[in-house]
Amino acid sequence: MPNAQMDSANKPLSSDGRTYHVETRPGEVANRIVTVGDPQRARIMAQQLDSIVFEHSSHRGFLTITGLYRNVPLSIVAIGMGLSMMDFFVRETRMVVDGPLSIVRFGSCGSICDARVGDVIVADAAFGINRNYDYFDSGAGTPYRLSSLEPGDGPLTELLAGGMAAVGPVVRGAVGNADSFYGSQGRTGDDFYDANDGLVAWVREQVPGAVALEMESHMLFHLARVSTGRLNDRPPSVRAGCALLVFADRTGNSFISPEMSTRMVIAATKAVFDALVADSK
């Protein structure tokens, strides 16, 4: 339910300039942002800020925490999971922040390479994995479709990779951004017809550099590339990078423990913050 009257159906903003889903307005979000899925992860990371100047939980489940780190404004935004949540976050943040945006997705993933639970994946690029609904309706095409690779920002990615080397083994490559946690990531079960036996192997065949599966990075990288204005006549105003902790080893069928995940988030926070602060392009 809306918390305030919106002034437009096309670009919903309240009378004081607050966005509909994320519920932030100018002055509340920094130009350097870490986006995570889990609000608990956001709060753990926020403990390493030097100070907190703003915190808000929206009625749509977005948590925004803004503070200072080494005297530089920095925001942490927890968005939940999936393509649409990343789209809400990036577009609505762009509406209320002046100047260039640098955004790092810091999340979790399932490894489909040699990386093991607790290792770090730094995404050089991302690609989409989408369920082909027509296949399940009429048998047309393949059950799943892959998009082309979308690169992350080069300098920001290098800063992330360098910092994460102090946290644990770092694997770099392309990350598959699925439109679901189950079917489109090759998780099998008896309740639904997903036609996804062998999907992970097929993805690796189609994208030789694929190293992990998750649900948000491709949308972030895509929106960064097209942040060029309505007429596509301006330089991109958003730059994006992505670092992921391996929570699930899809080849070895193992999953991280709660204790290890907390330790890894605490250890990696400084590397993510430092990359954003060092990023001065």
Side-chain angles (χ1 to χ4, degrees), residues 197-211:
D197 290 305
L199 177 60
V200 172
W202 179 73
V203 167
R204 294 186 65 183
E205 287 176 4
Q206 300 299 311
V207 187
V211 293

Side-chain angles (χ1 to χ4, degrees), residues 9 57 66 71 88-89 134 152 170 178 189 196 213 231 238 240 253 272:
S57 294
T66 298
N71 293 319
F88 287 139
F89 154 66
D134 291 341
V170 175
N196 64 353
L213 304 177
L231 300 178
V238 179
N253 197 30
V272 176

